[in-house]
């Protein structure tokens, strides 16, 4: 036990039991979300976009750890508002474990050729990031890239201040995120063909992740896969 753990002991975000951010029991209580196609949101093996749903600038798949309900929901809130330190590490550990266990084909495809996959976080607007102090999606993506031995790159930026998606309905959400993102000038992906794992904390209607995928596919050389990876859906 480190000195920090001794002064600020960890307790489970689910049941408050001392020891870890997620006790084994609460970890087992994370409801696994059914994997669905990101376009029609109907079941799909591994979360891959159905061949008939594929569009030129759309996501190629969606993978989420679990359903946005406690204890996962509480853990995401703690991550977002940084109520406890290092919870990102615990969450990413669980995520990578489940990824390997429940979608071994996709996991192995990435692990077989790690240089051809890059982790890209959904950006926050600089104003919001300054206010909050950090971007939770970047924290997750960095940690996940490290654990999976992949490259991490911030190549998207928000060019428009958007309202929080919470409280907005379908069409308003779409309009809220439309044209809100752009590629950084010096994005390395412009000159290579890596596939992209786009990371965000939660998939609600998917407007944000769909818009990010659109900007990436529209502005980068064709032929790459862009997947959305989230903690919850
Ligand atoms: Zn617990
Ligand atoms: Zn579909």
């Amino acid at each position: 036990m480190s000195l920090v753990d001794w002064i600020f002991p960890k307790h489970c975000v689910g049941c408050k039991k001392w020891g870890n951010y997620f006790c084994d029991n609460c970890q087992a209580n994370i409801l696994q979300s059914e994997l669905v196609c990101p376009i029609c949101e109907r079941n799909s093996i591994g979360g891959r976009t159905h061949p008939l749903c594929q569009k030129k600038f759309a996501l190629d798949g969606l993978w989420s750890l679990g359903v946005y309900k406690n204890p996962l929901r509480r853990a995401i809130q703690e991550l977002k508002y940084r109520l406890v330190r290092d919870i990102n590490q615990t969450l990413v550990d669980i995520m990578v474990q489940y990824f390997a266990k429940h979608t071994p084909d996709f996991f192995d495809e990435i692990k077989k050729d790690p240089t051809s996959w890059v982790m890209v976080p959904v950006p926050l607007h600089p104003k919001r990031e300054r206010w909050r102090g950090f971007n939770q999606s970047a924290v997750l993506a960095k940690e996940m890239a490290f654990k999976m031995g992949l490259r991490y790159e911030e190549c998207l930026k928000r060019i428009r201040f958007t309202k929080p998606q919470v409280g907005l309905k379908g069409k308003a959400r779409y309009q809220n995120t439309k044209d809100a993102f752009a590629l950084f000038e010096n994005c390395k992906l412009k000159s290579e063909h890596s596939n992209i794992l786009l990371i965000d904390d939660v998939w609600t209607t998917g407007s944000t992740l769909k818009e990010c995928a659109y900007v990436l596919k529209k502005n980068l050389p064709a032929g790459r896969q862009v997947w959305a990876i989230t903690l919850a859906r």
Side-chain angles (χ1 to χ4, degrees):
M1 192 191 265
S2 72
L3 183 64
V4 198
D5 285 336
W6 185 73
I7 300 171
F8 305 103
K10 295 175 181 172
H11 62 77
C12 174
V13 291
C15 65
K16 307 282 171 207
K17 195 170 98 183
W18 297 106
N20 247 319
Y21 288 138
F22 253 110
C23 72
D24 292 345
N25 200 20
C26 289
Q27 209 181 115
N29 282 337
I30 293 178
L31 274 180
Q32 279 268 261
S33 54
E34 303 242 323
L35 294 177
V36 297
C37 158
I39 312 303
C40 66
E41 300 208 22
R42 277 192 282 241
N43 287 23
S44 155
I45 296 168
R48 204 172 278 276
T49 301
H50 298 122
L52 284 174
C53 292
Q54 266 160 11
K55 275 184 258 162
K56 202 169 173 194
F57 301 129
L59 282 165
D60 294 285
L62 162 65
W63 189 92
S64 307
L65 169 64
V67 178
Y68 192 55
K69 284 205 170 123
N70 287 337
L72 187 57
R73 181 169 175 224
R74 196 169 311 145
I76 291 172
Q77 283 163 351
E78 306 234 1
L79 168 78
K80 219 161 170 164
Y81 301 103
R82 200 164 254 181
L83 301 175
V84 291
R85 101 203 116 81
D86 300 340
I87 193 167
N88 55 310
Q89 291 175 8
T90 308
L91 282 170
V92 169
D93 276 341
I94 298 173
M95 210 165 163
V96 173
Q97 249 175 53
Y98 275 60
F99 198 178
K101 190 172 150 201
H102 295 282
T103 357
D105 292 349
F106 186 31
F107 190 78
D108 290 345
E109 183 187 330
I110 296 169
K111 293 294 273 184
K112 222 185 290 160
D113 190 8
T115 54
S116 67
W117 290 87
V118 177
M119 296 251 166
V120 174
V122 167
L124 278 183
H125 191 276
K127 247 205 270 179
R128 185 161 290 141
E129 189 164 338
R130 267 199 304 278
W131 173 77
R132 188 183 284 163
F134 71 108
N135 171 4
Q136 76 277 9
S137 303
V139 168
L140 281 176
K142 248 181 240 173
E143 187 71 27
M144 206 168 169
F146 174 72
K147 293 239 156 86
M148 290 180 71
L150 307 180
R151 228 176 65 219
Y152 166 86
E153 221 187 298
E154 292 180 9
C155 60
L156 286 169
K157 59 180 170 184
R158 289 216 191 223
I159 47 174
R160 193 156 68 66
F161 200 72
T162 52
K163 293 180 206 141
Q165 292 285 78
V166 177
L168 295 177
K169 294 235 162 69
K171 190 130 198 243
R173 280 182 181 241
Y174 167 74
Q175 274 157 359
N176 190 36
T177 50
K178 187 91 197 94
D179 303 322
F181 302 94
L183 219 57
F184 275 117
E185 280 308 307
N186 59 358
C187 170
K188 287 200 198 96
L189 300 176
K190 283 179 178 170
S191 57
E192 49 176 75
H193 286 273
S194 324
N195 300 308
I196 294 169
L197 299 173
L198 199 52
I199 314 294
D200 206 359
D201 51 354
V202 185
W203 170 285
T204 316
T205 61
S207 326
T208 305
L209 284 147
K210 284 177 185 165
E211 184 64 21
C212 287
Y214 179 84
V215 169
L216 287 167
K217 284 200 160 178
K218 179 127 203 205
N219 295 290
L220 293 175
R224 72 186 69 226
Q225 294 188 54
V226 178
W227 276 69
I229 309 285
T230 68
L231 278 170
R233 182 175 72 82

